[in-house]
Amino acid sequence: MAVRQRAIQAEDKQERRDAILDAAEGVLRNAPERVASVAEVAVHAGLAKGTVYLYFPSKEELLLAVHERRIDRFFLDLIALVEAAPHVDFDAVFALTRAHLVEPPLFLPLAARCFGLMTHSVPPAAALAFKQRMAARLERAGAGVERHFPLSASTPTLGRGVVLLRRSYALILGLWQMSAAAGCAADCTDPELPPVFAWSYPVELEDALRALWSGMIGTASTAGASP
């Protein structure tokens, strides 16, 4: 959908920014293995390339913004859950994790790519601003987690919920990178794969996360078993 070339009001600017991010997501879904150019995104958004650069000074910052919008949706739902629900268990948190981070085909490849971008390609000021926004999300979500789960005293006194969420994300991304390299990001049925690689990322992830949460908050809060 084409958007007016000139945005003046704050609502118009947000509409323009969202249109650019929507276009970038569309381009990435069509070719997730490569980095989309700003020119491609501009065409899909119905904008001039220069207009895209007004909002995102580089394609790397554009990709980071796509990633941040997706992870922001996860944290919005997680924070709503832990702040409003009378009781939250591991299964409720994992359902959100699966819906936002595991099942969407674009999230994990883009998340892995953005780690490298922040190290080498995103300007330090932009990378720092992203990390500060992420810290605010983590701190609020972590505080909510602590209200529902009896975190072990072996974790740091301050920010135990943050530690749990941080370790969980490391497992989510790290296991995905391992499974992608081994060719088992989904159920592995390739008879040519050695048995050691015959594992499924979704099942392996749930088992690993249950073990992590059991170790940090006690087995009573992670009752249940993998399918």
Side-chain angles (χ1 to χ4, degrees):
M1 179 184 70
V3 183
R4 296 187 308 274
Q5 287 294 319
R6 181 167 179 157
I8 299 175
Q9 300 299 325
E11 311 86 69
D12 294 333
K13 291 180 179 179
Q14 186 60 51
E15 178 187 355
R16 175 67 47 73
R17 189 177 191 277
D18 288 339
I20 294 170
L21 293 177
D22 289 343
E25 284 200 22
V27 172
L28 288 168
R29 279 194 298 269
N30 291 334
E33 72 284 353
R34 65 184 183 84
V35 177
S37 70
V38 172
E40 287 178 278
V41 173
V43 169
H44 278 72
L47 298 170
K49 185 168 69 172
T51 302
V52 176
Y53 279 121
L54 290 175
Y55 289 81
F56 303 100
S58 67
K59 67 180 179 183
E60 290 80 13
E61 289 171 83
L62 174 57
L63 291 176
L64 185 60
V66 172
H67 171 61
E68 183 172 4
R69 186 171 69 162
R70 282 177 162 256
I71 205 164
D72 184 55
R73 292 168 182 164
F74 165 72
F75 274 107
L76 286 174
D77 281 357
L78 177 60
I79 289 167
L81 176 70
V82 297
E83 291 186 351
H87 172 71
V88 176
D89 60 12
F90 171 83
D91 290 323
V93 176
F94 185 69
L96 285 180
T97 302
R98 189 171 55 241
H100 285 282
L101 309 186
V102 178
E103 293 177 350
L106 182 59
F107 182 84
L108 288 166
L110 183 57
R113 182 179 294 172
C114 283
F115 270 100
L117 291 177
M118 282 192 293
T119 303
H120 304 292
S121 305
V122 174
L128 177 60
F130 169 79
K131 291 174 184 177
Q132 289 171 335
R133 292 190 297 270
M134 283 301 305
R137 295 180 181 107
L138 273 168
E139 287 167 0
R140 184 171 174 180
V145 166
E146 290 176 24
R147 286 198 290 271
H148 293 277
F149 297 96
L151 291 169
S152 168
S154 64
T155 55
T157 302
L158 296 177
R160 291 174 182 170
V162 170
V163 172
L164 179 56
L165 292 175
R166 188 177 64 216
R167 291 175 181 175
S168 296
Y169 189 69
L171 273 177
I172 292 166
L173 192 57
L175 279 174
W176 177 81
Q177 290 175 309
M178 181 185 296
S179 69
C184 47
D187 289 335
C188 289
T189 57
D190 186 347
E192 295 186 3
L193 277 175
V196 70
F197 293 124
W199 54 277
S200 164
Y201 169 68
V203 174
E204 192 85 1
L205 175 64
E206 183 171 355
D207 287 347
L209 287 175
R210 284 189 186 278
L212 171 65
W213 285 57
S214 292
M216 290 185 68
I217 65 180
T219 56
S221 296
T222 57
S226 299

